[in-house]
Structures are given as C-alpha cells and as structure tokens.
Amino acid sequence: MTTESKRALVVRGGWEGHEPVVITDLFVPFLRDNGYEVETSDTLSVYEDAARLAATDLVVQCWTMGEITKEQCEGLVGAVRAGTGFAGWHGGIVDAFRGDVDYTLLTGGQFLMHPSGFSDHAVTLAADRAAHPVIAGLSDFRVHTEKYWMATDGDIDVLATTEFAPDEHRTHAVTMPAVWTRTVRAGRVFVSTIGHKPDDFDVPEVRTLTERGLLWASR
C-alpha cells in the first residue's frame, strides 16, 4: 500500500526586490523531502482554479505588492476556508495586495512601514506559546534585517515579537507581532515577517520556524 503524496503550490512573483524565486527555492527541497509534490506558479490566475486549489494541501506565497482580482482573492480565501493551508514570510505574504480587506482578513496582518535599512534586533518568542510546534524547543534570537511595523488582527496566535524603542514618533516602546498562526475555518495560516533576503534564513531559528510553519499550515 502506498501513501499518496501531499501537494504544495508555490505562488511567486510581484516586486523582485524580495527575490521570490531565489527564496522560495530554498524551501522546495525541504517540502519534497517531506513528501510533497511541488508545483510553482508565476501568475495569480492559479487562484481562480478551484479544482487545483482543492487538490492542494499547502499554498506557499511570495508575492510582494501587486494587485489581486476579486475572483482570485475569492478563490484563495475559499480554498483556505475549505482546508488548504496558506503560508509565507515577509512582504511576500503581508505586503501583498495592499488595501484588499478580504486578503488582509485571511492573513491576519498588513505591513505598514519599516525603519530605513536593516537593523540588528531581537526576536522574542512568546513564553506562553513555548509548546507550539512552530517554536517548541527554540530560544530567542537576533537578526540583521528589516523590522516590520504591522497592523494586525486581534484573532491571531502570536508566537514571536519584536520591540520598537521610543523614538521621534512615540514616547514609549511598542511590542510588535513578528510571527503568528491562525485558523480560518478548516484552514490554517502561517505568517513570519522575517525574510527580506536569502541570508535571513541562514539564522537557524529563522529557517527552523519557517519550515515548521509550512508544515503546520498544511492540510
């Protein structure tokens, strides 16, 4: 008796500054090693293919900015609600399709801004979620990359945060969600705001939590 492979669809495109092909290719071997048949798409029209999405266990999206049509968004949201997993990182998932409310309600957050350039900063894991399979056994870590200021939904499960110190815009520190999961009816969504550049994933904790997030989100 053979076990049927799972199916992953990698949707990549949009702004080239986030290197969507290079970075998603970092995770294709991992998915294949974990039993997935992996397809890629460089067009959002794939979200209009209901049968294809229904047969897909995990959609990995890296598509920064751009526009999504009503039909495409409805197709993606409908598939996730029915059980297809949805996962991604950085601008490829939370700086996509700005202003589309239905898409933002799917991801649970929208990028608003980041301080100029890269910065060394800490990523703090949520102590009360230490047993969550995405971060279990990991410790707080540091990265040198962009730090995202987010607008987030109240209905997300925050697994890690970053800190914004007081500055000319605010007199107090602000703790910002950086990694989270959520459920959307039968589907699961994983979001990490870390991943502007390929070497962000050279940080072992970043690579591990991203890989685990993909598996967690999958049907």
Side-chain angles (χ1 to χ4, degrees):
M1 177 177 178
T2 59
T3 301
E4 186 176 352
S5 296
K6 291 198 170 187
R7 300 178 68 176
L9 173 64
V10 177
V11 181
R12 55 197 189 183
W15 184 60
E16 287 296 328
H18 282 155
E19 301 186 64
V21 173
V22 171
I23 295 184
T24 55
D25 276 349
L26 295 176
F27 294 95
V28 169
F30 168 79
L31 290 170
R32 288 178 174 150
D33 287 347
N34 279 272
Y36 288 80
E37 295 179 3
V38 181
E39 297 180 89
T40 62
S41 175
D42 61 1
T43 173
L44 297 174
S45 63
V46 70
Y47 290 155
E48 299 176 56
D49 188 338
R52 187 174 180 183
L53 291 184
T56 297
D57 298 290
L58 174 66
V59 174
V60 180
Q61 180 184 283
C62 188
W63 196 292
T64 304
M65 295 183 277
E67 294 184 0
I68 192 169
T69 68
K70 180 176 183 291
E71 293 75 18
Q72 291 163 357
C73 190
E74 286 178 348
L76 173 61
V77 172
V80 175
R81 286 176 174 171
T84 298
F86 188 56
W89 50 84
H90 199 61
I93 191 167
V94 290
D95 189 15
F97 324 131
R98 295 177 183 177
D100 190 299
V101 173
D102 290 333
Y103 178 78
T104 302
L105 289 172
L106 175 66
T107 61
Q110 172 67 65
F111 162 79
L112 294 182
M113 59 79 69
H114 62 75
S116 179
F118 301 152
S119 66
D120 288 303
H121 59 274
V123 178
T124 303
L125 304 186
D128 62 338
R129 303 300 292 132
H132 192 288
V134 170
I135 60 170
L138 300 182
S139 300
D140 298 346
F141 57 94
R142 299 190 67 84
V143 291
H144 180 77
T145 192
E146 289 180 341
K147 181 163 59 170
Y148 268 14
W149 185 279
M150 301 294 304
T152 53
D153 193 319
D155 187 22
I156 59 175
D157 186 4
V158 178
L159 303 181
T161 60
T162 58
E163 188 91 353
F164 284 80
D167 59 15
E168 67 272 21
H169 302 294
R170 66 196 66 82
T171 59
H172 54 280
V174 174
T175 299
M176 188 64 57
V179 180
W180 67 83
T181 59
R182 70 181 321 196
T183 55
V184 180
R185 295 191 185 175
R188 289 178 167 189
V189 176
F190 164 78
V191 173
S192 171
T193 63
I194 308 163
H196 175 84
K197 48 192 171 59
D199 67 5
D200 288 350
F201 298 99
D202 290 343
V203 178
E205 294 87 351
V206 176
R207 183 66 180 246
T208 297
L209 71 83
T210 305
E211 290 177 341
R212 290 179 178 179
L214 301 183
L215 299 182
W216 180 90
S218 181
R219 192 197 314 268

